[in-house]
Amino acid sequence: DLVIRGGSISYRDDQARRRTELTDADVTVSWPSANSRLTTSGRFRLRGEDIRFQGALDRPANLFARDISPIDLTIDTPAVRAQIGGNVLAATDIQIEGRLTFSSSSVRQLAGWLIPEARNTPNVGPVQGTARLKILDRTLTLEEARLQIDRSRGEGTMSLTFDRTRTSVQG
């Protein structure tokens, strides 16, 4: 078991020239044995927002052998609530594939959380959706996405690439 109370976690990505710091971290991780399920829950602050999470890896030891482990993760912030169920692979880069369900009170809040540098985002909403999620390297792809924004519906594919110089969106 690992418990962090009131801690800070720093992450630096030199290649992308990005640095992130999580503050006021209260995190609990439990992994009773190498062949058991790893569970985690807690909260932290990112860019001033309180983020709560709860998750589990069914076979975390598989990741050390560059194999797959089922994952369940719930993230709850003032801007978005998201649930991911699928698989994670720890290869050269972490890869995640699974089903995503999310909701937000507005497009502006959702965009501001995903892409802080986004400007002139319309303040329409609420937003909710489901998609097949793929995360690989610096690209997040939503396939078979079904969105509802306010009373409008849409479907399709969208990807966000968090590159060195800027974030790009393609849909």
Side-chain angles (χ1 to χ4, degrees), residues 53-80:
F53 68 93
Q54 182 174 318
L57 287 171
D58 285 351
R59 295 187 296 273
N62 286 8
L63 300 179
F64 296 109
R66 294 185 178 210
D67 201 355
I68 295 171
S69 174
I71 185 173
D72 289 303
L73 179 63
T74 300
I75 299 170
D76 193 3
T77 79
V80 66

mmCIF file of all heavy atoms in Angstrom, residues 53-80:
data_model
loop_
_atom_site.group_PDB
_atom_site.id
_atom_site.type_symbol
_atom_site.label_atom_id
_atom_site.label_comp_id
_atom_site.label_asym_id
_atom_site.label_seq_id
_atom_site.Cartn_x
_atom_site.Cartn_y
_atom_site.Cartn_z
ATOM 1 N N PHE A 53 -10.309 10.890 -8.672
ATOM 2 C CA PHE A 53 -10.176 9.726 -9.539
ATOM 3 C C PHE A 53 -10.307 8.443 -8.739
ATOM 4 O O PHE A 53 -10.126 8.415 -7.526
ATOM 5 C CB PHE A 53 -8.837 9.755 -10.287
ATOM 6 C CG PHE A 53 -7.660 9.554 -9.378
ATOM 7 C CD1 PHE A 53 -7.143 8.289 -9.170
ATOM 8 C CD2 PHE A 53 -7.094 10.625 -8.715
ATOM 9 C CE1 PHE A 53 -6.077 8.098 -8.308
ATOM 10 C CE2 PHE A 53 -6.025 10.446 -7.860
ATOM 11 C CZ PHE A 53 -5.513 9.181 -7.652
ATOM 12 N N GLN A 54 -10.613 7.399 -9.470
ATOM 13 C CA GLN A 54 -10.678 6.057 -8.910
ATOM 14 C C GLN A 54 -10.362 5.114 -10.051
ATOM 15 O O GLN A 54 -10.869 5.295 -11.161
ATOM 16 C CB GLN A 54 -12.084 5.801 -8.379
ATOM 17 C CG GLN A 54 -12.270 4.461 -7.738
ATOM 18 C CD GLN A 54 -13.658 4.377 -7.107
ATOM 19 O OE1 GLN A 54 -14.119 5.317 -6.489
ATOM 20 N NE2 GLN A 54 -14.297 3.242 -7.284
ATOM 21 N N GLY A 55 -9.497 4.128 -9.815
ATOM 22 C CA GLY A 55 -9.133 3.246 -10.903
ATOM 23 C C GLY A 55 -8.622 1.903 -10.441
ATOM 24 O O GLY A 55 -8.394 1.678 -9.245
ATOM 25 N N ALA A 56 -8.455 1.019 -11.418
ATOM 26 C CA ALA A 56 -7.944 -0.317 -11.132
ATOM 27 C C ALA A 56 -7.255 -0.888 -12.364
ATOM 28 O O ALA A 56 -7.674 -0.629 -13.500
ATOM 29 C CB ALA A 56 -9.077 -1.239 -10.706
ATOM 30 N N LEU A 57 -6.192 -1.635 -12.123
ATOM 31 C CA LEU A 57 -5.527 -2.451 -13.138
ATOM 32 C C LEU A 57 -5.711 -3.897 -12.697
ATOM 33 O O LEU A 57 -5.314 -4.267 -11.586
ATOM 34 C CB LEU A 57 -4.032 -2.142 -13.217
ATOM 35 C CG LEU A 57 -3.624 -0.823 -13.853
ATOM 36 C CD1 LEU A 57 -2.138 -0.571 -13.642
ATOM 37 C CD2 LEU A 57 -3.945 -0.848 -15.337
ATOM 38 N N ASP A 58 -6.306 -4.716 -13.555
ATOM 39 C CA ASP A 58 -6.555 -6.109 -13.167
ATOM 40 C C ASP A 58 -5.282 -6.939 -13.073
ATOM 41 O O ASP A 58 -5.159 -7.776 -12.190
ATOM 42 C CB ASP A 58 -7.527 -6.773 -14.139
ATOM 43 C CG ASP A 58 -8.956 -6.322 -13.923
ATOM 44 O OD1 ASP A 58 -9.229 -5.622 -12.922
ATOM 45 O OD2 ASP A 58 -9.813 -6.673 -14.749
ATOM 46 N N ARG A 59 -4.348 -6.723 -13.993
ATOM 47 C CA ARG A 59 -3.097 -7.497 -14.010
ATOM 48 C C ARG A 59 -1.896 -6.559 -14.182
ATOM 49 O O ARG A 59 -1.239 -6.554 -15.229
ATOM 50 C CB ARG A 59 -3.154 -8.539 -15.121
ATOM 51 C CG ARG A 59 -4.229 -9.601 -14.884
ATOM 52 C CD ARG A 59 -4.188 -10.735 -15.897
ATOM 53 N NE ARG A 59 -4.460 -10.335 -17.263
ATOM 54 C CZ ARG A 59 -5.677 -10.245 -17.795
ATOM 55 N NH1 ARG A 59 -6.733 -10.490 -17.079
ATOM 56 N NH2 ARG A 59 -5.832 -9.891 -19.053
ATOM 57 N N PRO A 60 -1.594 -5.755 -13.172
ATOM 58 C CA PRO A 60 -0.528 -4.753 -13.317
ATOM 59 C C PRO A 60 0.844 -5.361 -13.587
ATOM 60 O O PRO A 60 1.658 -4.734 -14.272
ATOM 61 C CB PRO A 60 -0.551 -4.003 -11.991
ATOM 62 C CG PRO A 60 -1.236 -4.904 -11.045
ATOM 63 C CD PRO A 60 -2.200 -5.714 -11.845
ATOM 64 N N ALA A 61 1.128 -6.549 -13.096
ATOM 65 C CA ALA A 61 2.434 -7.171 -13.334
ATOM 66 C C ALA A 61 2.671 -7.414 -14.821
ATOM 67 O O ALA A 61 3.817 -7.424 -15.278
ATOM 68 C CB ALA A 61 2.552 -8.485 -12.550
ATOM 69 N N ASN A 62 1.604 -7.576 -15.605
ATOM 70 C CA ASN A 62 1.743 -7.765 -17.051
ATOM 71 C C ASN A 62 2.437 -6.581 -17.719
ATOM 72 O O ASN A 62 3.118 -6.735 -18.728
ATOM 73 C CB ASN A 62 0.376 -7.948 -17.709
ATOM 74 C CG ASN A 62 -0.230 -9.298 -17.436
ATOM 75 O OD1 ASN A 62 0.283 -10.079 -16.639
ATOM 76 N ND2 ASN A 62 -1.343 -9.577 -18.081
ATOM 77 N N LEU A 63 2.255 -5.389 -17.171
ATOM 78 C CA LEU A 63 2.829 -4.195 -17.788
ATOM 79 C C LEU A 63 4.357 -4.219 -17.754
ATOM 80 O O LEU A 63 5.002 -3.685 -18.650
ATOM 81 C CB LEU A 63 2.288 -2.936 -17.115
ATOM 82 C CG LEU A 63 0.769 -2.770 -17.189
ATOM 83 C CD1 LEU A 63 0.340 -1.497 -16.476
ATOM 84 C CD2 LEU A 63 0.269 -2.785 -18.618
ATOM 85 N N PHE A 64 4.949 -4.865 -16.746
ATOM 86 C CA PHE A 64 6.407 -4.973 -16.677
ATOM 87 C C PHE A 64 6.946 -5.877 -17.776
ATOM 88 O O PHE A 64 8.100 -5.762 -18.167
ATOM 89 C CB PHE A 64 6.850 -5.485 -15.305
ATOM 90 C CG PHE A 64 6.505 -4.540 -14.194
ATOM 91 C CD1 PHE A 64 5.512 -4.855 -13.279
ATOM 92 C CD2 PHE A 64 7.154 -3.318 -14.061
ATOM 93 C CE1 PHE A 64 5.175 -3.983 -12.256
ATOM 94 C CE2 PHE A 64 6.827 -2.441 -13.041
ATOM 95 C CZ PHE A 64 5.838 -2.778 -12.143
ATOM 96 N N ALA A 65 6.116 -6.774 -18.273
ATOM 97 C CA ALA A 65 6.504 -7.684 -19.357
ATOM 98 C C ALA A 65 6.006 -7.179 -20.707
ATOM 99 O O ALA A 65 5.966 -7.929 -21.673
ATOM 100 C CB ALA A 65 5.943 -9.076 -19.074
ATOM 101 N N ARG A 66 5.620 -5.902 -20.758
ATOM 102 C CA ARG A 66 5.081 -5.291 -21.974
ATOM 103 C C ARG A 66 3.882 -6.063 -22.513
ATOM 104 O O ARG A 66 3.753 -6.329 -23.701
ATOM 105 C CB ARG A 66 6.160 -5.138 -23.040
ATOM 106 C CG ARG A 66 7.221 -4.165 -22.623
ATOM 107 C CD ARG A 66 8.225 -3.929 -23.708
ATOM 108 N NE ARG A 66 9.189 -2.946 -23.243
ATOM 109 C CZ ARG A 66 9.811 -2.119 -24.025
ATOM 110 N NH1 ARG A 66 9.607 -2.144 -25.314
ATOM 111 N NH2 ARG A 66 10.664 -1.256 -23.543
ATOM 112 N N ASP A 67 3.016 -6.424 -21.601
ATOM 113 C CA ASP A 67 1.796 -7.135 -21.930
ATOM 114 C C ASP A 67 0.604 -6.260 -21.530
ATOM 115 O O ASP A 67 0.770 -5.184 -20.973
ATOM 116 C CB ASP A 67 1.769 -8.480 -21.191
ATOM 117 C CG ASP A 67 0.824 -9.481 -21.834
ATOM 118 O OD1 ASP A 67 0.112 -9.122 -22.792
ATOM 119 O OD2 ASP A 67 0.790 -10.642 -21.362
ATOM 120 N N ILE A 68 -0.586 -6.749 -21.761
ATOM 121 C CA ILE A 68 -1.812 -5.983 -21.570
ATOM 122 C C ILE A 68 -2.422 -6.249 -20.198
ATOM 123 O O ILE A 68 -2.389 -7.366 -19.704
ATOM 124 C CB ILE A 68 -2.825 -6.345 -22.672
ATOM 125 C CG1 ILE A 68 -2.297 -5.896 -24.027
ATOM 126 C CG2 ILE A 68 -4.191 -5.747 -22.399
ATOM 127 C CD1 ILE A 68 -3.092 -6.389 -25.205
ATOM 128 N N SER A 69 -3.003 -5.206 -19.620
ATOM 129 C CA SER A 69 -3.799 -5.324 -18.404
ATOM 130 C C SER A 69 -5.115 -4.584 -18.598
ATOM 131 O O SER A 69 -5.120 -3.457 -19.079
ATOM 132 C CB SER A 69 -3.073 -4.729 -17.200
ATOM 133 O OG SER A 69 -3.920 -4.729 -16.063
ATOM 134 N N PRO A 70 -6.226 -5.202 -18.223
ATOM 135 C CA PRO A 70 -7.490 -4.459 -18.224
ATOM 136 C C PRO A 70 -7.413 -3.287 -17.246
ATOM 137 O O PRO A 70 -6.772 -3.385 -16.196
ATOM 138 C CB PRO A 70 -8.517 -5.494 -17.765
ATOM 139 C CG PRO A 70 -7.919 -6.799 -18.185
ATOM 140 C CD PRO A 70 -6.440 -6.626 -17.944
ATOM 141 N N ILE A 71 -8.065 -2.188 -17.614
ATOM 142 C CA ILE A 71 -8.059 -0.974 -16.797
ATOM 143 C C ILE A 71 -9.477 -0.428 -16.678
ATOM 144 O O ILE A 71 -10.264 -0.510 -17.620
ATOM 145 C CB ILE A 71 -7.123 0.101 -17.408
ATOM 146 C CG1 ILE A 71 -7.022 1.333 -16.494
ATOM 147 C CG2 ILE A 71 -7.558 0.488 -18.799
ATOM 148 C CD1 ILE A 71 -5.988 2.365 -16.949
ATOM 149 N N ASP A 72 -9.789 0.105 -15.527
ATOM 150 C CA ASP A 72 -11.018 0.868 -15.283
ATOM 151 C C ASP A 72 -10.592 2.160 -14.611
ATOM 152 O O ASP A 72 -9.820 2.131 -13.658
ATOM 153 C CB ASP A 72 -11.973 0.110 -14.346
ATOM 154 C CG ASP A 72 -12.583 -1.088 -15.011
ATOM 155 O OD1 ASP A 72 -13.225 -0.905 -16.063
ATOM 156 O OD2 ASP A 72 -12.424 -2.205 -14.486
ATOM 157 N N LEU A 73 -11.093 3.288 -15.100
ATOM 158 C CA LEU A 73 -10.707 4.573 -14.540
ATOM 159 C C LEU A 73 -11.885 5.537 -14.606
ATOM 160 O O LEU A 73 -12.555 5.640 -15.636
ATOM 161 C CB LEU A 73 -9.528 5.152 -15.330
ATOM 162 C CG LEU A 73 -9.001 6.521 -14.905
ATOM 163 C CD1 LEU A 73 -8.451 6.486 -13.482
ATOM 164 C CD2 LEU A 73 -7.938 7.002 -15.881
ATOM 165 N N THR A 74 -12.131 6.231 -13.505
ATOM 166 C CA THR A 74 -13.131 7.284 -13.449
ATOM 167 C C THR A 74 -12.437 8.568 -13.028
ATOM 168 O O THR A 74 -11.667 8.569 -12.066
ATOM 169 C CB THR A 74 -14.244 6.949 -12.424
ATOM 170 O OG1 THR A 74 -14.867 5.733 -12.828
ATOM 171 C CG2 THR A 74 -15.280 8.051 -12.367
ATOM 172 N N ILE A 75 -12.687 9.647 -13.764
ATOM 173 C CA ILE A 75 -12.131 10.962 -13.455
ATOM 174 C C ILE A 75 -13.303 11.918 -13.291
ATOM 175 O O ILE A 75 -14.206 11.958 -14.127
ATOM 176 C CB ILE A 75 -11.204 11.462 -14.583
ATOM 177 C CG1 ILE A 75 -10.028 10.509 -14.767
ATOM 178 C CG2 ILE A 75 -10.714 12.867 -14.296
ATOM 179 C CD1 ILE A 75 -9.200 10.781 -15.991
ATOM 180 N N ASP A 76 -13.260 12.704 -12.215
ATOM 181 C CA ASP A 76 -14.338 13.644 -11.938
ATOM 182 C C ASP A 76 -13.733 15.005 -11.618
ATOM 183 O O ASP A 76 -12.975 15.144 -10.659
ATOM 184 C CB ASP A 76 -15.164 13.127 -10.756
ATOM 185 C CG ASP A 76 -16.474 13.856 -10.588
ATOM 186 O OD1 ASP A 76 -16.799 14.736 -11.414
ATOM 187 O OD2 ASP A 76 -17.186 13.537 -9.615
ATOM 188 N N THR A 77 -14.029 16.007 -12.471
ATOM 189 C CA THR A 77 -13.537 17.369 -12.285
ATOM 190 C C THR A 77 -14.724 18.318 -12.405
ATOM 191 O O THR A 77 -15.796 17.912 -12.858
ATOM 192 C CB THR A 77 -12.493 17.751 -13.357
ATOM 193 O OG1 THR A 77 -13.171 18.084 -14.567
ATOM 194 C CG2 THR A 77 -11.499 16.641 -13.625
ATOM 195 N N PRO A 78 -14.548 19.585 -12.067
ATOM 196 C CA PRO A 78 -15.640 20.534 -12.309
ATOM 197 C C PRO A 78 -15.992 20.655 -13.797
ATOM 198 O O PRO A 78 -17.116 20.976 -14.145
ATOM 199 C CB PRO A 78 -15.087 21.858 -11.772
ATOM 200 C CG PRO A 78 -14.082 21.455 -10.756
ATOM 201 C CD PRO A 78 -13.463 20.194 -11.289
ATOM 202 N N ALA A 79 -15.036 20.363 -14.687
ATOM 203 C CA ALA A 79 -15.250 20.528 -16.123
ATOM 204 C C ALA A 79 -15.777 19.277 -16.807
ATOM 205 O O ALA A 79 -16.496 19.364 -17.801
ATOM 206 C CB ALA A 79 -13.950 20.962 -16.799
ATOM 207 N N VAL A 80 -15.405 18.090 -16.329
ATOM 208 C CA VAL A 80 -15.772 16.858 -17.031
ATOM 209 C C VAL A 80 -15.801 15.677 -16.070
ATOM 210 O O VAL A 80 -15.035 15.631 -15.106
ATOM 211 C CB VAL A 80 -14.789 16.583 -18.208
ATOM 212 C CG1 VAL A 80 -13.394 16.294 -17.718
ATOM 213 C CG2 VAL A 80 -15.280 15.446 -19.095
#
